[in-house]
Amino acid sequence: MKKLLTGNEAVAQGAYEAGVTYAAAYPGTPSTEILETIAEYKQDIIAEWAPNEKVAMESAIGASIAGARALAAMKMVGVNVAADPLFSFAYAGVNGGMVLVTADDPSLHSSQNEQDNRQYAKFAKIAMIEPSDSQESKDMIKAAMEISEKFNTPILFRMTTRVCHSKSLVEIGERKEDSKKPYVRNLSQYDLVPAVSKRLRAELEKRLCKLSAFADETDLNYFEWNDAKIGIISSGVAYQYAKEVFGDKVSYLKLGFTYPLPAKKIKEFASRVEKLYVIEELEPYLEDQIKQMGITCIGKEKIPNMYELNPDIIAKALLDEENPLIQYDRSLVANRPPVLCAGCPHRGFFYELSKKKNVVMAGDIGCYALGGADPLNAKDLCICMGSAPSIGHGAQKIFNKFDENLRVVATIGDSTFFHTGINSIMNIAYNHSKTITVILDNRITGMTGHQDHPGTGFTLQGMPAKALPIEDVVRALGINYVRTVNPLKLAEIREALDWALALDEPSVIITRWPCVLKKQSPQDKEEFGDYWATCEIDTEECIGCKMCINTGCPALRFNREHEKAAIDPVQCVGCEVCLQVCPVNAIAKVGE
Amino acid sequence: MSDVKNILLVGVGGQGTILVSKILSNGLVNAGYDVKMSEIHGMAQRGGSVSTQVRYGKKVYSPIIGKGQADILVSFETMEALRWLEYLEPNGKVVVNNYQIPSAPILMGKQDYPEGVLELIKAKADTTVIRAAEIAEKLGNAKAMNVVLLGALVKAMKISYIDWEEVIKSSVKASAVGVNLLAFKAGMNVE
Ligand code: SF4
Ligand code: SF4
Ligand code: SF4
């Protein structure tokens, strides 16, 4: 049977068929759906959200050592968080097969940088596999498990946005049962004290030699012989783009196993074609190594090392071909940036914060990053996940030392708090900065599409769990001043911000209200009630002051002709934030 | 590859473009085509501009197309058609919803919603304009607007030999099948 699957769904199907019994991840676009899909195999696979990627990786390592086939999945920046255990586990090697999926994001569709994680395989000295579509994503996960066990190596499984999120046809197969290996206590493999690691360091080089030989044998790397005037070496989705442009007119060396590289096959291919192109997305990863073999090839001098590749770029770069386009005035088109949803619980908080003077706002990764845009404009910086309180801390220390009258407000989400924010807040308390941290607790991981975490009361596979009270955790970290407010009540936020700004000590404000898109649990309904309704504007009363528009809710409209505001009843959820800012009480809740 | 057809579906996050792409892809798979579909997730879900590409033919390699290559552009929102028009093959066809959603900069008064978009597009390409929102509202559910557009798209694709009703039945919630079948038919019957 064939099914239309995304690359992510195909990885999940492959994990199932390969007999994987443990999988963990922290959600991150474009990798999120891998674990969401694996979670559906409740009978056969334990699937978990970890609070961060390092924990996901370490849990999968534990499962592998115990003898199970294991998988960890993350977006590319997550591998930076998981890099510490990755590099050491490379020395130890696996018991049950172990695959780390990295989902890279060329063109930064939803990321802070564009790192090419193929470098990690070379850097950590582990085998790497790169699928180019959904069928390969499934097949190669199975191959990866075999290779991992055969060569005792963790595998870096490198996907990119277009492989993760594009759908193509996949042949569905059966699950391999009984993949569990016995656990054997082995200090000389798993206890990485210096004496052990020193010996394993040499083993690692021997393993790489064996893997190099294997790279030349495996049919994951194969020739497609056609006309030999032009030869193309490619991997991942770039191979599909190359096929789109050149079809069967040229010869290919398609690489699926990309670390270590198949030196013999590459040399043979190069010697049999007249002109050699290396077509790859982002960095000259293949090209550099091919050139190091002493082979002449054309790559990054023609094909950019920035942003996503596509067939057009290849056609233009290598064939000098361009499509005719419809000509029109593109400046007519207004921008359409993403915005906080109508009724988003973060909006009220940012609205109040943006009115405060002498405040530097350190932001973090999540929906609340959208609070940085007009009209809320409530963000000064944002670097990486979980960093707001620690970056805020460093800045606050300097402002104080140089007597600058600035206070740092660090904002972080609930999922992000559990990810690595805990450590950062601990540091604030320990090192005495009066940084104010605001934990925007929308009861879920919002941006990636609503995943549970240690604060929500449910696991990935729907088991009830203890919902960690953020307030208690923060107090335990050493913060004495903690307050929880309802972010839909602007007066409460104002008061809490004034309270925190007046303190000469660090404080934490928790804004607690569920994301409007969250599927409400019975506990949520009990705590937050059923507040869904709509608000309406009385056009007689409205004086057209636009105060409500400045809250940035996408349900609000302004009729310039009549100078009156209006509310789109389809989008409005009746959060009452706009109602609280109207100076003439023209807004009221209806249908209650 | 000339036997591959390219459909580009664009709109605003939350309008249901992905569901339509899914129904479309499933129908094409049932008809025996090789199909690839590509979408961008993430931030774009929060009211931003979104697009999905569906490519079908005997053998499809790339999941994405470049500018000037879409055979049909379906736009769920009026201005979005203009944003993506450069992706249309100069002889391609546009199906555009006469339905405006002002974006944040427009609401803030920083940019204007462009005037005369439909006229401009009509002057540049073979265009069908549909009031899908009104049609869906009359059928009792404004949200079914997306399936009205699917009907119009299928008509433009001239692939009526596929049993679309079956595909729709298996792709939407049981409670929504009725209105979606009506919406699809209404879309097929426009002009
Ligand atoms: S998804 Fe939730 S948290 Fe994110 S912008 Fe929308 S309402 Fe806010
Ligand atoms: S009550 Fe006002 S702010 Fe809240 S969702 Fe409705 S229009 Fe938006
Ligand atoms: S805040 Fe009140 S008076 Fe001002 S535009 Fe909005 S509804 Fe009208």
Coordinates of all heavy atoms in Angstrom, one line a residue, chain A residues 2-52:
Chain A
K2 N 0.5 2.2 -0.8 CA 1.2 3.5 -0.9 C 0.4 4.6 -0.2 O -0.8 4.7 -0.4 CB 1.6 3.9 -2.3 CG 2.8 3.2 -2.9 CD 3.3 3.8 -4.1 CE 4.6 3.2 -4.5 NZ 5.2 3.8 -5.7
K3 N 1.2 5.5 0.5 CA 0.5 6.6 1.2 C 1.3 7.9 0.9 O 2.5 7.8 0.8 CB 0.5 6.3 2.7 CG -0.8 5.8 3.3 CD -0.6 5.8 4.8 CE -1.8 5.5 5.6 NZ -1.5 5.3 7.0
L4 N 0.6 9.0 0.9 CA 1.2 10.3 0.8 C 1.6 10.7 2.1 O 0.8 11.0 3.0 CB 0.2 11.2 0.2 CG 0.6 12.5 -0.6 CD1 1.6 12.1 -1.7 CD2 -0.6 13.2 -1.2
L5 N 3.0 10.8 2.4 CA 3.4 11.2 3.7 C 4.5 12.3 3.6 O 5.2 12.4 2.6 CB 4.1 10.0 4.4 CG 3.4 8.7 4.7 CD1 4.3 7.7 5.4 CD2 2.1 9.0 5.5
T6 N 4.5 13.1 4.7 CA 5.6 14.1 4.7 C 6.9 13.3 5.1 O 6.8 12.2 5.6 CB 5.4 15.1 5.9 OG1 5.3 14.5 7.1 CG2 4.1 15.9 5.6
G7 N 8.0 13.9 4.9 CA 9.3 13.3 5.4 C 9.2 13.0 6.8 O 9.7 11.9 7.3
N8 N 8.7 13.9 7.6 CA 8.6 13.6 9.1 C 7.7 12.4 9.4 O 8.1 11.6 10.2 CB 8.0 14.8 9.8 CG 9.0 16.0 9.9 OD1 10.2 15.8 9.7 ND2 8.6 17.1 10.3
E9 N 6.6 12.3 8.7 CA 5.7 11.1 8.9 C 6.4 9.9 8.5 O 6.3 8.8 9.1 CB 4.4 11.3 8.2 CG 3.5 12.4 8.8 CD 2.4 12.8 7.8 OE1 2.5 12.6 6.6 OE2 1.4 13.5 8.3
A10 N 7.2 10.0 7.4 CA 7.9 8.8 6.9 C 9.0 8.4 7.8 O 9.2 7.2 8.0 CB 8.5 9.1 5.5
V11 N 9.7 9.3 8.5 CA 10.7 8.9 9.5 C 10.0 8.1 10.6 O 10.5 7.1 11.1 CB 11.3 10.2 10.1 CG1 12.1 9.8 11.4 CG2 12.3 10.8 9.1
A12 N 8.8 8.6 11.0 CA 8.0 7.9 12.1 C 7.7 6.5 11.6 O 7.8 5.5 12.4 CB 6.8 8.7 12.4
Q13 N 7.2 6.4 10.4 CA 6.8 5.1 9.8 C 8.1 4.2 9.8 O 8.0 3.0 10.2 CB 6.2 5.2 8.4 CG 5.8 4.0 7.7 CD 4.7 3.2 8.4 OE1 3.8 3.9 9.0 NE2 4.6 1.9 8.3
G14 N 9.2 4.8 9.4 CA 10.5 4.0 9.3 C 10.9 3.5 10.7 O 11.3 2.4 10.9
A15 N 10.7 4.4 11.7 CA 11.1 4.0 13.1 C 10.2 2.9 13.5 O 10.7 1.9 14.2 CB 10.9 5.2 14.0
Y16 N 9.0 2.9 13.2 CA 8.0 1.9 13.6 C 8.5 0.6 12.9 O 8.6 -0.5 13.6 CB 6.6 2.2 13.2 CG 5.6 1.1 13.3 CD1 5.2 0.7 14.6 CD2 5.2 0.4 12.2 CE1 4.3 -0.3 14.7 CE2 4.3 -0.6 12.3 CZ 3.8 -1.0 13.6 OH 2.9 -2.0 13.7
E17 N 8.7 0.6 11.6 CA 9.0 -0.6 10.9 C 10.4 -1.2 11.3 O 10.6 -2.4 11.3 CB 9.1 -0.3 9.4 CG 7.7 -0.1 8.8 CD 7.7 0.2 7.3 OE1 8.6 -0.1 6.6 OE2 6.6 0.7 6.8
A18 N 11.3 -0.3 11.8 CA 12.6 -0.7 12.1 C 12.7 -1.3 13.6 O 13.7 -1.7 14.0 CB 13.6 0.5 12.1
G19 N 11.5 -1.3 14.2 CA 11.5 -1.9 15.6 C 12.0 -0.9 16.7 O 12.5 -1.4 17.7
V20 N 12.0 0.4 16.4 CA 12.4 1.3 17.4 C 11.4 1.2 18.6 O 10.2 1.1 18.4 CB 12.3 2.8 16.9 CG1 12.4 3.8 18.0 CG2 13.5 3.0 15.9
T21 N 11.9 1.3 19.9 CA 11.0 1.2 21.0 C 11.1 2.4 21.9 O 10.3 2.5 22.9 CB 11.2 -0.1 21.8 OG1 12.6 -0.3 22.1 CG2 10.7 -1.3 21.1
Y22 N 12.0 3.3 21.6 CA 12.1 4.5 22.4 C 12.4 5.7 21.5 O 13.3 5.7 20.7 CB 13.2 4.5 23.5 CG 13.2 5.7 24.4 CD1 12.3 5.8 25.5 CD2 14.0 6.8 24.1 CE1 12.3 7.0 26.2 CE2 14.0 7.9 24.8 CZ 13.1 8.1 25.9 OH 13.1 9.2 26.6
A23 N 11.7 6.8 21.7 CA 11.9 8.0 20.9 C 11.6 9.3 21.8 O 10.6 9.3 22.5 CB 11.0 8.1 19.7
A24 N 12.5 10.3 21.7 CA 12.3 11.5 22.5 C 12.7 12.7 21.6 O 13.5 12.6 20.7 CB 13.1 11.5 23.7
A25 N 12.1 13.9 22.0 CA 12.3 15.1 21.2 C 11.9 16.3 22.1 O 11.2 16.2 23.0 CB 11.6 15.1 19.9
Y26 N 12.4 17.5 21.7 CA 11.8 18.7 22.1 C 11.2 19.3 20.8 O 11.9 19.3 19.8 CB 12.8 19.7 22.7 CG 12.2 21.0 23.1 CD1 11.5 21.0 24.3 CD2 12.3 22.1 22.3 CE1 10.8 22.2 24.7 CE2 11.6 23.3 22.7 CZ 10.9 23.3 23.9 OH 10.3 24.5 24.3
P27 N 10.0 19.8 20.8 CA 9.4 20.3 19.5 C 10.2 21.5 18.9 O 10.6 22.3 19.7 CB 8.0 20.7 19.9 CG 8.0 20.9 21.4 CD 9.0 19.9 21.9
G28 N 10.3 21.5 17.6 CA 11.0 22.6 17.0 C 10.7 22.4 15.5 O 11.0 21.4 14.9
T29 N 10.3 23.5 14.8 CA 10.0 23.5 13.4 C 11.4 23.4 12.6 O 12.2 24.2 13.0 CB 9.2 24.7 12.9 OG1 8.2 24.9 13.8 CG2 8.8 24.6 11.5
P30 N 11.6 22.5 11.7 CA 10.6 21.6 11.0 C 10.6 20.2 11.5 O 10.2 19.3 10.7 CB 11.1 21.7 9.6 CG 12.6 21.8 9.6 CD 12.9 22.6 10.9
S31 N 11.0 19.9 12.7 CA 11.1 18.5 13.2 C 9.9 18.0 13.9 O 9.8 16.8 14.1 CB 12.4 18.4 14.1 OG 12.1 19.0 15.3
T32 N 9.0 18.9 14.4 CA 8.0 18.5 15.4 C 7.2 17.3 15.2 O 7.0 16.5 16.0 CB 7.1 19.7 15.6 OG1 7.9 20.9 15.8 CG2 6.2 19.5 16.8
E33 N 6.7 17.1 13.9 CA 5.8 16.1 13.6 C 6.4 14.7 13.7 O 5.7 13.7 13.7 CB 5.1 16.3 12.3 CG 4.4 17.6 12.1 CD 5.3 18.8 11.8 OE1 6.5 18.5 11.5 OE2 4.9 19.9 11.8
I34 N 7.7 14.6 13.7 CA 8.3 13.2 13.8 C 7.8 12.5 15.1 O 7.3 11.4 15.0 CB 9.9 13.3 13.8 CG1 10.3 13.9 12.5 CG2 10.5 11.9 14.1 CD1 11.8 14.2 12.4
L35 N 8.0 13.2 16.2 CA 7.6 12.6 17.5 C 6.0 12.5 17.6 O 5.5 11.6 18.1 CB 8.2 13.3 18.7 CG 9.3 12.6 19.3 CD1 8.8 11.5 20.3 CD2 10.3 12.0 18.3
E36 N 5.3 13.5 17.1 CA 3.9 13.5 17.2 C 3.3 12.3 16.4 O 2.3 11.7 16.8 CB 3.3 14.8 16.6 CG 3.5 16.0 17.5 CD 2.9 17.3 17.0 OE1 2.8 17.5 15.8 OE2 2.5 18.1 17.8
T37 N 4.0 11.9 15.3 CA 3.5 10.7 14.6 C 4.0 9.4 15.2 O 3.2 8.5 15.3 CB 4.0 10.8 13.1 OG1 3.9 12.1 12.6 CG2 3.3 9.8 12.2
I38 N 5.2 9.4 15.7 CA 5.7 8.2 16.4 C 4.8 7.9 17.7 O 4.5 6.8 18.0 CB 7.1 8.3 16.9 CG1 8.0 8.3 15.6 CG2 7.5 7.2 17.8 CD1 9.5 8.5 16.0
A39 N 4.3 9.0 18.3 CA 3.5 8.8 19.5 C 2.2 8.0 19.3 O 1.7 7.4 20.2 CB 3.1 10.2 20.1
E40 N 1.8 8.0 18.0 CA 0.6 7.2 17.7 C 0.8 5.7 17.9 O -0.2 5.0 18.1 CB 0.1 7.6 16.3 CG -0.5 9.0 16.3 CD -0.7 9.5 14.8 OE1 -0.7 8.7 13.9 OE2 -0.7 10.7 14.7
Y41 N 2.0 5.3 17.8 CA 2.3 3.8 18.0 C 2.4 3.5 19.5 O 3.5 3.0 19.9 CB 3.5 3.4 17.2 CG 3.5 3.7 15.8 CD1 4.3 4.7 15.2 CD2 2.7 3.0 14.9 CE1 4.3 5.0 13.9 CE2 2.7 3.3 13.5 CZ 3.5 4.3 13.0 OH 3.4 4.6 11.7
K42 N 1.3 3.7 20.2 CA 1.4 3.6 21.7 C 1.8 2.2 22.1 O 2.4 2.0 23.2 CB 0.1 4.0 22.3 CG -0.1 5.5 22.5 CD -1.3 5.7 23.4 CE -1.7 7.2 23.2 NZ -2.9 7.5 24.0
Q43 N 1.3 1.2 21.4 CA 1.6 -0.2 21.8 C 3.1 -0.6 21.8 O 3.6 -1.3 22.6 CB 0.8 -1.2 20.9 CG -0.7 -1.1 20.9 CD -1.2 -1.4 22.3 OE1 -0.7 -2.2 23.1 NE2 -2.2 -0.6 22.7
D44 N 3.7 0.0 20.8 CA 5.1 -0.5 20.5 C 6.2 0.5 20.8 O 7.3 0.0 21.0 CB 5.2 -0.8 19.0 CG 4.2 -1.9 18.5 OD1 4.3 -3.0 19.0 OD2 3.3 -1.6 17.8
I45 N 5.9 1.8 20.9 CA 7.0 2.7 21.0 C 6.7 3.7 22.2 O 5.6 4.2 22.3 CB 7.3 3.6 19.8 CG1 7.4 2.6 18.5 CG2 8.5 4.4 19.9 CD1 7.7 3.4 17.2
I46 N 7.7 3.8 23.1 CA 7.6 4.9 24.1 C 8.0 6.2 23.5 O 9.2 6.3 23.0 CB 8.5 4.5 25.3 CG1 8.1 3.2 25.9 CG2 8.4 5.7 26.4 CD1 9.3 2.6 26.7
A47 N 7.1 7.1 23.4 CA 7.4 8.4 22.7 C 7.3 9.5 23.8 O 6.2 9.6 24.4 CB 6.6 8.7 21.5
E48 N 8.3 10.4 23.9 CA 8.2 11.4 24.9 C 8.7 12.8 24.4 O 9.6 12.9 23.6 CB 9.1 11.0 26.1 CG 8.7 9.7 26.8 CD 9.7 9.2 27.8 OE1 10.9 9.7 27.9 OE2 9.3 8.4 28.6
W49 N 8.0 13.8 25.0 CA 8.6 15.2 24.9 C 9.6 15.3 26.0 O 9.2 15.1 27.2 CB 7.5 16.3 25.1 CG 6.6 16.4 24.0 CD1 5.2 16.5 24.1 CD2 6.8 16.5 22.5 NE1 4.6 16.7 22.9 CE2 5.6 16.7 21.9 CE3 8.0 16.5 21.8 CZ2 5.5 16.8 20.5 CZ3 7.9 16.6 20.4 CH2 6.6 16.8 19.8
A50 N 10.8 15.7 25.7 CA 11.8 16.0 26.8 C 11.7 17.5 27.0 O 11.3 18.2 26.1 CB 13.2 15.6 26.3
P51 N 12.1 18.0 28.2 CA 12.1 19.5 28.3 C 13.1 20.2 27.4 O 12.9 21.3 27.1 CB 12.4 19.6 29.8 CG 12.9 18.3 30.3 CD 12.4 17.3 29.4
N52 N 14.2 19.5 27.0 CA 15.1 20.1 26.0 C 15.8 19.0 25.2 O 15.7 17.8 25.5 CB 16.1 21.1 26.6 CG 17.1 20.5 27.6 OD1 17.6 19.4 27.3 ND2 17.4 21.2 28.6

